[in-house]
Amino acid sequence: MINRFSEFFARTSKRAVWGILLAITIAAPPAIARRQETLGAGVTAGAGQSANARQQTSDAAQAGQTKQETGTAQAGESQQTSPAQTTSTAQTAGQDKDKKDEKADDPNNPKNDRIFLVIPNYGTVEHPTANVPPLTVKQKFKTGAEDAFDTYSVPLAGIVAAISQAENDDAAWGQGWGAFGKRYAATYADTVIGSFMTTGVFPSMLREDPRYFRMGSGGFKKRSWYALTRLFVTRTDAGKPQFNYSEFMGNATAAGISLTYHTVQERNVSNFGGDYLTQIAIDAFANQLKEFWPDIRHKLSHKK
């Protein structure tokens, strides 16, 4: 039993790691291209808006000059009032837009600064303080949904399912496209259920904050150890440290549910333990990425 458990855990861990690396390799070029296209479109749109603004200013000046030449008092009053109202409205709209953009693009705590432009990173607080507001129940489930249904998870599930098919995991499903579909559905279901359990369900019940709060300073060993210990220590909604029940109970629940949609031959303690420990290992690796990605991003941006 112990040898079987060790072999299965080694196999599933290797499959998960290779799946992540392959997903990054495949998805990175399109993601970078999309980002470049977005930046190009933003520059073009900004130029167009500037041209429109200049044209509108010119038209307004001509209209004002025409009204002045008529010598009508009523036209003069309209000329004085209308631009003022237009300016006030434009300033208000501009301020509102600036506030929304500032909130959406907070440089200190970006909402989803994708790791290597690919891996979703919705639940990281880059610069935590004692006054970070807690997440509501709705926000916790929203974060879980964003992780579960992110476009990155679609190809990743396909890659992991393809590896499972090559290794003939859950052999009763056999081979062929029908068997691949079953493996793909099972893999994607594992992702969705695990994300909701560890980010939405248990953090809401236990009033724990599912986000990762970076250390952000100090030596590599100190920060790496801190990232590892976040598997066991989390922050409550009140901002106090607490054992990370959501991590272990959430993944255990997800692993247990996973057995229900596999064949009878796969419903055993060995497979449960392998799935459970593999997910814990993936979360430990993810914490390391979340801790050091801003440093990597900073170095890459300065090389350009």
Side-chain angles (χ1 to χ4, degrees):
M1 176 66 72
I2 296 176
N3 291 334
R4 183 182 178 187
F5 172 79
S6 300
E7 292 174 0
F8 183 84
F9 175 56
R11 186 171 69 252
T12 52
S13 298
K14 185 186 296 184
R15 184 169 68 248
V17 172
W18 276 110
I20 292 173
L21 294 177
L22 287 172
I24 293 174
T25 303
I26 293 174
I32 296 173
R34 286 195 301 270
R35 185 165 186 174
Q36 291 176 345
E37 291 175 358
T38 302
L39 291 174
V43 172
T44 304
Q49 290 176 355
S50 298
N52 291 336
R54 289 195 298 271
Q55 182 63 36
Q56 291 175 358
T57 302
S58 176
D59 293 343
Q62 293 176 359
Q65 184 176 1
T66 302
K67 290 180 180 181
Q68 288 177 353
E69 292 175 355
T70 60
T72 304
Q74 183 177 0
E77 291 176 357
S78 300
Q79 184 181 357
Q80 293 175 357
T81 305
S82 180
Q85 292 177 344
T86 303
T87 302
S88 178
T89 303
Q91 290 177 347
T92 302
Q95 291 175 355
D96 292 341
K97 184 178 183 300
D98 291 340
K99 290 180 180 179
K100 291 180 180 179
D101 292 343
E102 182 180 358
K103 182 178 181 181
D105 300 326
D106 183 357
N108 293 323
N109 293 301
K111 177 175 174 54
N112 182 22
D113 178 31
R114 289 180 178 272
I115 300 174
F116 298 113
L117 303 180
V118 178
I119 303 175
N121 191 24
Y122 294 98
T124 299
V125 181
E126 284 196 13
H127 301 282
T129 63
N131 297 323
V132 174
L135 296 177
T136 64
V137 172
K138 181 180 179 180
Q139 288 173 327
K140 292 175 183 179
F141 276 91
K142 182 180 179 181
T143 302
E146 289 173 336
D147 283 331
F149 300 114
D150 189 88
T151 53
Y152 167 82
S153 63
V154 176
L156 179 60
I159 292 171
V160 174
I163 296 173
S164 297
Q165 179 119 336
E167 295 180 350
N168 201 30
D169 287 343
D170 210 335
W173 281 340
Q175 294 294 316
W177 286 108
F180 175 79
K182 293 179 181 179
R183 292 185 173 95
Y184 182 88
T187 301
Y188 195 74
D190 289 346
T191 300
V192 173
I193 295 172
S195 180
F196 273 103
M197 289 296 169
T198 58
T199 308
V201 177
F202 280 92
S204 297
M205 293 192 302
L206 302 174
R207 297 183 180 180
E208 293 181 342
D209 197 320
R211 293 173 293 184
Y212 178 80
F213 293 83
R214 290 179 66 244
M215 173 177 280
S217 61
F220 174 80
K221 291 183 179 180
K222 181 179 180 180
R223 293 173 62 188
S224 181
W225 174 252
Y226 168 84
L228 179 62
T229 59
R230 294 313 94 184
L231 285 175
F232 306 94
V233 181
T234 190
R235 181 184 292 200
T236 66
D237 290 341
K240 298 179 180 179
Q242 177 176 291
F243 181 77
N244 196 352
Y245 294 102
S246 297
E247 172 70 22
F248 292 92
M249 296 175 66
N251 283 319
T253 302
I257 295 175
S258 177
L259 295 179
T260 63
Y261 46 79
H262 283 275
T263 58
V264 177
Q265 293 85 343
E266 297 293 320
R267 298 174 188 174
N268 51 61
V269 176
S270 177
N271 284 342
F272 170 83
D275 291 343
Y276 178 55
L277 294 179
T278 297
Q279 188 56 53
I280 296 293
I282 291 174
D283 290 344
F285 177 69
N287 282 355
Q288 298 292 330
L289 288 178
K290 293 175 181 179
E291 178 64 35
F292 293 104
W293 164 242
D295 304 276
I296 299 172
R297 180 190 64 208
H298 179 73
K299 291 182 178 180
L300 292 177
S301 64
H302 278 267
K303 288 182 179 179
K304 296 181 180 180

